[in-house]
Amino acid sequence: MKAFTLCAMLLFATVATVAQNNTKALNITIFTEGKTPVEAATVELLRAKDSALLKTALSDKTGAAGWESVAAGTYMLRVSAVNFSTYFSAPFTTDGTMAVSLPAVTLLPQNATQMQGVTVTAKKPFIQKLSDRIVVNVESSIISAGSSALDVLERSPGVTVDQNDAISLRGRAGVIIMIDGKPTPMTGADLATYLRGLPSNAIERIDIITNPSARYEAAGNSGIIDIRMKKDQRMGANGTLTAGYGQGVYPKTNAGATYNYRNKKVNIFGNYNYNYRELLNHLFINRNFYDKGVFKGSDDKDNYAAFNINAHAVRAGVDFFPSKKTIVGFVVNSNFSTFARKAEIKTVVNDLQYNPNFSFVSLGTDDNKSDNTIANINFKHSFDSTGREISADVDYGVYNNHSLTRTASSFYNLNGTPKRDDDILDGDQTGKLILRTGKVDYVNPIKGGAKLEAGAKWSLVSSDNDAKFYNVFPSGSINDDTKTNRFYYKEYNNAGYLNVSKEYKKFNMQVGLRGEQTMVRTRQQKGAQAFKNDYFKLFPSAFFNYKLKEDQTLGVSVSRRIDRPGYSQLNPFLFQIDATIYSTGAPNLRPQMTWSYEASYTVKQLNFTLGYSRTTDPQNIVLSKILDVIPTFEIKPGQDSNITVQIPVNLQSSDYFGLTATTPIRISKWWNMVNNLNVFYNHFNGNLGGAQLNNGAPAANIRTTNNFTFKKGWQAELNANYNSGGRYGYMVARGQWALAAGVQKSVLEGKGTLRLNVSDIFWTNRPRAKVVYEGSYVENWHAFRESRVANISFTYRFGNSKVQAARRRTTASEEEARRAGN
C-alpha cells in the first residue's frame, strides 16, 4: 500500500510541477452562426505535418479556449461540439515567444455542408455525451492502457459488474453487449472470460445507448453497450504496434498489431491481439439457514480462486468499391482462448448454537478451451446523393467450448481426523452453438426533411450441450446419472421494423414499430423432456426533441423492449461449485418485457435525463435450497443437508426511477473534467419458495474523469468513482469506491505513445452484499479482487496519416451473438 501511495503522490507532484512551467498563450473563440458562444467545445491542437495530437482544451462560457504554452512550429486546429459539424482550421505558424490570437471560429449545424478533403487523425475526449448515447473513447484514456475490456466497462459511466460477472447499466440488468454492432452470443461467466481476454488496445470506443430506436434489436431492458474494435481509416498503408505489461498480485501482458491498406478501389484490414492475465477472486461467505424462521444452522466459507486467461483475437476483412455508390465487404472475427482455474474453498459448518461442528475443504479446477469464429458478408448501395440507400448482411458463426472440471471435497472433524470419505466429482462438458442470420435495411429520405427507414431480419440459432459427470472412487470412476445430461436448443426469430423521422426548424421527431416472431424448441436427454414456446411481440418507440434556444434542447422518448433468456440460462445442467453449492439453468425461464420512458434536457454540453421503466417477469439469479428446485437430488450419508443452488428465475415485476447528469467542466486551459452522476431507485416484487419480496432501495453512481494537458507531449489523467450499492432482487449491495491515475508521453515525433497508470490505487473497490430470503436464508459476502494493477504500455503508429471517412458495420447477428454464452 505504501508503495502505491508514494507512486500516486509522485504522480501528482509531477503534474503540479509541469503545470507551473506554462507561460505563453494561444487563444481562439468559438461561436454559433447566431454569434452565441459555444461552451465546452473540444479544441485540439494538431501538428500540421502529420496531424499528431499535441494538446486538448474545452471552451469556457465565453467560447474561449487556448493553451498557456505552445512551442514554435506549424499547427492546425480541430474543433468539435455536440450537434455541430467538425471544424478544421487552415495551418498556422507561431514562433513560440509571442501570444497568438486566432480568428474566431463559427461552428455550423451538424447537417450543414462540411469542409471537403481535410481529414486528420486526432484524439477525442475520453467521455463524450452525444444526443442519443454516451461514447467512451478508449484510445483517449491513459488509465485504460494495459487493461482488459471488462476493466474498461467497469470504469464507464453507469456500468457496474456484480459478483456473478453480470453487467448492468444505470442500476438495471438486461443490458445488450455488442461487438462491432452485433450482440455477442456470450453472457455471464463466458462473456466475462471473453472480455477479460480482450485487451483495451484492440478497442476504439464503447457506445452506451440507453433507449435505442426500432432499428436496433428489441432486446435490452436497460439498453445497449456496443464495443467498437479498431479499424484504421487512413489512406495508403498504415497500422499500429502495441505492447504492455501489468502487475497486480499476479502479472499480465498484452500485445497487438493492426494493419490497413486503403485506396479508391479496395480497403484491406486486419488485426491480431494477444492477452495473458493472471487474476484472483478471494470470496468470503457467511450462510444462515432457517425453516419458517427457525434457525437450522450456518457455515462460513473462505474461497480463494486464482485463474489465468490466454486469449488470441484475430480480425480480417476487405471492402471493395466497385463504384462510388456501392460497397461489398467481407469480415471474419475469431477468438481462441484457454481458461484455467484453481480454487480452494475452506468451509466451517456451525451447529445450532453457532459453534463449529465440522469442516471440509473443496479443491476445484477448471481447464476450459473455446474457439469462436463468425464470418460476415455485407453490401451497401447508395442510389443518389439524397441519402437513399440499401444495405444487407449475412452472418454465419460457430462457437465451440470444451471444459474439464474436478471438485474434490475432504471432510474433517474438529480434531482434524477424517469425518467421512472424500467426495470427488469429475466433469467433461462440450458445447457447440451455430448461428445463421441475415438482415436488410433501407433508408429513403422524403421531401421536407422527413426520412423513412425499413428493414427485416431472420435468424436460426441451434446449440448442442453435452455434459458427463463421474463420481470418483479409489476403485475407479462411475457415471453420475443424476447430473449427466444432454441439452438441445433451437430458436427461430423473424423481425421487421419501420421508422419515420421528420425535422422541423425548432424540433424533430421519430416514431418506429418493430415486430418480432420467436419460436423456441428445447429437448434434454435426461427424462426425454421437451419444451416449446412460440410468441409474437410488437415493440413501438417514439422520440421527440424540441430546441428551446440555440444551446438548449428538451427531449422525450418511449420504447418497449424484451430480454430473452441467454442460451446457457436455459441449460438444465447441474454444476458443482463445492460440496454445498451448485448452479443450474431453467428451461422454462420466460423473457422479460420492459416499457422505458425518458425525458432529457441539454444546455450547452450539460445533459440531464430523467428515466422510468417497468419490467414484467424480470430475470434474476437467486439462491434456493436445492431440494426445493431438484427434489430428486441425492444427499449422501453424513453430508451437510444445507445445500443451495444458484438458478435464474422470473420475479413478478420491477420498477426503476433514475436521474442521470453528464457535466463537462473546463477548470483551466490545461485541466478538463467530465462528471457523471446517476441516482436511481429500484423496486422489486416477487416470491421464491414463500419468501415474499416487495422492497426497493435508492442508490448512486458518481464518476469524475480529469484530463491534464501539458507541454512537450505530456498528459495525465485522474479518475475517481463511487458506487453506493443498491437493491438487485433479493440482494442488497454495499458501497465501494476507487481512484486511478496515469501519465502519458508522446515520443518519436508523435508516432509513439508511452503510458503508465495505476488502477484502484488504494485497493478499495471491494464488492460486499447481503442476501435475505425472509424466514428461509440469509447470506453475507464480501470479496477481494485484483482491481489494483500497475500498467505500462507502448504504442507505435506507422504509415500515412490522411483519413478516409469511416464505414460503420452493423452485421446481422447482433442479438444472437450476445446470448450464446447464457
Side-chain angles (χ1 to χ4, degrees):
M1 173 63 76
K2 292 182 179 179
F4 280 97
T5 304
L6 178 60
C7 179
M9 295 175 61
L10 290 174
L11 168 66
F12 301 140
T14 302
V15 168
T17 302
V18 177
Q20 294 172 359
N21 291 333
N22 293 333
T23 56
K24 305 301 180 183
L26 171 65
N27 301 302
I28 190 168
T29 308
I30 301 102
F31 297 100
T32 67
E33 286 183 294
K35 300 304 178 183
T36 301
V38 179
E39 183 182 2
T42 300
V43 184
E44 296 164 315
L45 181 68
L46 312 171
R47 188 162 48 211
K49 68 177 182 178
D50 58 5
S51 300
L53 174 68
L54 302 177
K55 298 175 182 288
T56 304
L58 290 178
S59 59
D60 60 20
K61 293 182 179 179
T62 67
W67 298 274
E68 294 296 331
S69 177
V70 177
T74 302
Y75 306 96
M76 61 187 299
L77 294 182
R78 178 182 186 270
V79 183
S80 59
V82 175
N83 299 324
F84 291 95
S85 298
T86 301
Y87 168 86
F88 298 97
S89 76
F92 61 91
T93 302
T94 175
D95 61 8
T97 60
M98 300 292 292
V100 177
S101 295
L102 297 176
V105 169
T106 299
L107 293 183
L108 301 177
Q110 200 161 32
N111 57 358
T113 302
Q114 298 187 40
M115 178 167 42
Q116 303 296 318
V118 181
T119 51
V120 298
T121 301
K123 177 182 174 183
K124 303 179 181 68
F126 174 45
I127 296 174
Q128 290 178 297
K129 177 64 179 78
L130 304 183
S131 58
D132 64 338
R133 68 192 64 197
I134 291 176
V135 178
V136 179
N137 293 299
V138 179
E139 287 185 296
S140 302
S141 172
I142 300 171
I143 292 174
S144 295
S147 301
S148 70
L150 191 64
D151 296 329
V152 178
L153 277 181
E154 287 193 276
R155 292 195 286 264
S156 299
V159 179
T160 56
V161 181
D162 70 10
Q163 80 284 0
N164 295 315
D165 293 322
I167 299 170
S168 60
L169 178 60
R170 299 200 306 185
R172 291 186 293 169
V175 62
I176 301 298
I177 303 296
M178 292 185 175
I179 307 294
D180 280 338
K182 56 180 180 297
T184 170
M186 296 169 284
T187 57
D190 292 335
L191 176 60
T193 299
Y194 168 76
L195 293 176
R196 286 192 180 103
L198 184 64
S200 62
N201 58 272
I203 303 171
E204 177 187 356
R205 72 178 196 273
I206 297 174
D207 293 347
I208 302 174
I209 310 169
T210 57
N211 210 1
S213 70
R215 178 165 184 166
Y216 289 92
E217 305 286 341
N221 163 49
S222 60
I224 293 172
I225 296 177
D226 190 1
I227 301 173
R228 292 282 169 174
M229 309 301 288
K230 284 183 180 178
K231 182 193 171 191
D232 208 317
Q233 298 294 330
R234 293 174 291 179
M235 298 294 285
N238 43 69
T240 62
L241 299 172
T242 303
Y245 176 80
Q247 182 67 54
V249 177
Y250 298 113
K252 300 118 179 56
T253 60
N254 68 85
T258 68
Y259 181 79
N260 191 87
Y261 175 78
R262 176 189 285 263
N263 60 32
K264 294 181 178 180
K265 290 295 183 181
V266 67
N267 181 32
I268 302 172
F269 57 93
N271 58 57
Y272 166 77
N273 287 282
Y274 170 74
N275 199 11
Y276 174 78
R277 304 181 73 81
E278 292 186 35
L279 301 164
L280 73 84
N281 184 24
H282 196 180
L283 176 65
F284 297 88
I285 307 174
N286 168 249
R287 306 190 306 164
N288 299 270
F289 297 86
Y290 301 84
D291 184 6
K292 297 180 181 180
V294 178
F295 181 66
K296 292 296 183 180
S298 67
D299 60 34
D300 296 283
K301 292 181 178 291
D302 179 349
N303 181 349
Y304 188 96
F307 49 96
N308 65 71
I309 300 170
N310 267 288
H312 304 262
V314 181
R315 183 172 185 259
V318 59
D319 289 334
F320 296 100
F321 312 105
S323 71
K324 292 183 178 180
K325 297 181 178 181
T326 304
I327 304 175
V328 179
F330 306 88
V331 186
V332 176
N333 287 280
S334 294
N335 299 89
F336 309 91
S337 65
T338 61
F339 171 84
R341 178 186 66 96
K342 184 176 182 179
E344 182 181 57
I345 308 173
K346 300 177 181 178
T347 303
V348 176
V349 180
N350 305 311
D351 60 21
L352 298 182
Q353 286 72 44
Y354 297 95
N355 296 316
N357 188 11
F358 69 94
S359 66
F360 64 90
V361 177
S362 296
L363 298 177
T365 60
D366 190 343
D367 184 6
N368 188 295
K369 295 180 180 180
S370 64
D371 59 89
N372 312 318
T373 299
I374 184 167
N376 166 262
I377 302 175
N378 54 84
F379 167 83
K380 181 178 179 180
H381 177 73
S382 300
F383 294 94
D384 49 44
S385 60
T386 65
R388 187 164 65 99
E389 64 182 34
I390 188 171
S391 60
D393 286 85
V394 176
D395 290 274
Y396 182 86
V398 179
Y399 296 77
N400 294 299
N401 187 73
H402 184 213
S403 181
L404 297 174
T405 61
R406 166 166 284 197
T407 305
S409 300
S410 300
F411 304 84
Y412 303 95
N413 295 308
L414 294 182
N415 60 9
T417 60
K419 179 179 175 62
R420 65 177 181 87
D421 293 338
D422 291 351
D423 190 358
I424 303 175
L425 181 70
D426 282 353
D428 186 350
Q429 306 152 43
T430 59
K432 183 174 185 177
L433 182 144
I434 300 176
L435 63 87
R436 313 159 187 85
T437 59
K439 72 169 187 174
V440 60
D441 297 286
Y442 175 72
V443 180
N444 185 36
I446 304 173
K447 291 183 179 179
K451 182 170 66 174
L452 172 70
E453 296 177 283
K457 176 187 171 181
W458 65 268
S459 69
L460 168 60
V461 177
S462 59
S463 67
D464 180 358
N465 298 277
D466 189 7
K468 299 180 177 65
F469 290 95
Y470 305 91
N471 292 312
V472 181
F473 302 99
S475 58
S477 299
I478 300 176
N479 178 63
D480 188 339
D481 56 10
T482 65
K483 301 179 182 68
T484 294
N485 202 351
R486 192 164 187 173
F487 180 69
Y488 303 91
Y489 180 91
K490 277 190 177 182
E491 179 181 297
Y492 306 84
N493 190 281
N494 300 298
Y497 74 90
L498 184 67
N499 259 341
V500 179
S501 59
K502 171 75 173 176
E503 291 198 15
Y504 299 89
K505 185 176 181 180
K506 282 283 188 179
F507 67 90
N508 63 75
M509 59 183 296
Q510 175 182 289
V511 293
L513 181 65
R514 186 180 185 94
E516 295 192 359
Q517 179 193 38
T518 304
M519 296 175 288
V520 175
R521 304 288 184 271
T522 71
R523 178 171 60 90
Q524 55 176 309
Q525 196 173 71
K526 183 181 176 182
Q529 299 182 47
F531 175 74
K532 174 182 177 181
N533 188 17
D534 298 343
Y535 53 91
F536 176 79
K537 302 289 184 181
L538 291 174
F539 304 95
S541 61
F543 303 82
F544 178 86
N545 292 290
Y546 182 75
K547 185 178 290 186
L548 300 173
K549 294 182 179 180
E550 183 70 28
D551 56 358
Q552 298 182 35
T553 302
L554 181 68
V556 294
S557 64
V558 58
S559 66
R560 188 190 191 209
R561 307 196 65 77
I562 185 174
D563 273 301
R564 300 176 182 87
Y567 304 124
S568 66
Q569 286 181 302
L570 302 169
N571 191 331
F573 294 172
L574 188 64
F575 299 100
Q576 186 180 53
I577 298 173
D578 76 356
T580 58
I581 300 179
Y582 290 79
S583 68
T584 189
N588 297 330
L589 192 65
R590 299 184 300 276
Q592 63 183 26
M593 306 295 299
T594 300
W595 278 99
S596 182
Y597 309 85
E598 286 189 355
S600 65
Y601 174 67
T602 302
V603 52
K604 301 184 186 300
Q605 288 281 343
L606 305 180
N607 179 266
F608 305 89
T609 301
L610 278 172
Y612 168 73
S613 68
R614 180 170 179 82
T615 301
T616 55
D617 294 325
Q619 299 161 14
N620 194 253
I621 302 293
V622 300
L623 294 168
S624 176
K625 293 180 180 179
I626 198 164
L627 292 178
D628 293 340
V629 179
I630 308 172
T632 59
F633 182 82
E634 178 185 359
I635 297 180
K636 300 176 182 179
Q639 186 177 4
D640 185 0
S641 61
N642 289 329
I643 299 176
T644 58
V645 62
Q646 295 178 351
I647 185 171
V649 301
N650 292 107
L651 302 180
Q652 294 172 4
S653 65
S654 66
D655 295 273
Y656 166 90
F657 306 84
L659 169 65
T660 301
T662 304
T663 59
I665 301 173
R666 183 190 182 198
I667 305 298
S668 71
K669 293 182 179 180
W670 52 272
W671 180 1
N672 294 320
M673 175 188 293
V674 178
N675 302 309
N676 288 274
L677 170 67
N678 182 31
V679 181
F680 59 93
Y681 177 85
N682 272 328
H683 190 278
F684 295 87
N685 289 282
N687 191 304
L688 179 68
Q692 184 66 37
L693 174 64
N694 183 12
N695 210 340
N701 294 325
I702 304 171
R703 185 178 303 274
T704 179
T705 301
N706 299 265
N707 291 283
F708 309 90
T709 304
F710 310 116
K711 63 180 182 179
K712 298 183 179 180
W714 282 97
Q715 296 184 47
E717 183 177 329
L718 176 66
N719 289 353
N721 71 278
Y722 171 73
N723 181 359
S724 71
R727 176 171 287 276
Y728 303 91
Y730 287 91
M731 183 180 74
V732 177
R734 311 301 184 188
Q736 57 195 93
W737 65 278
L739 184 72
V743 293
Q744 161 181 311
K745 178 69 169 69
S746 179
V747 297
L748 301 178
E749 297 184 346
K751 293 185 177 181
T753 302
L754 185 65
R755 290 174 169 174
L756 172 67
N757 64 64
V758 182
S759 61
D760 194 10
I761 295 172
F762 301 106
W763 206 1
T764 50
N765 194 20
R766 300 174 181 177
R768 300 175 297 155
K770 184 175 185 178
V771 182
V772 177
Y773 300 95
E774 199 65 42
S776 175
Y777 180 76
V778 176
E779 174 181 302
N780 291 279
W781 66 266
H782 66 279
F784 294 84
R785 295 177 175 176
E786 202 172 6
S787 54
R788 183 173 66 183
V789 179
N791 289 290
I792 185 170
S793 70
F794 176 74
T795 300
Y796 180 76
R797 294 168 293 277
F798 60 88
N800 198 333
S801 61
K802 196 175 294 184
V803 176
Q804 187 78 1
R807 179 190 173 206
R808 181 180 182 273
R809 286 188 183 79
T810 302
T811 66
S813 56
E814 297 181 345
E815 153 72 355
E816 295 72 25
R818 175 188 68 94
R819 296 167 53 216
N822 275 333

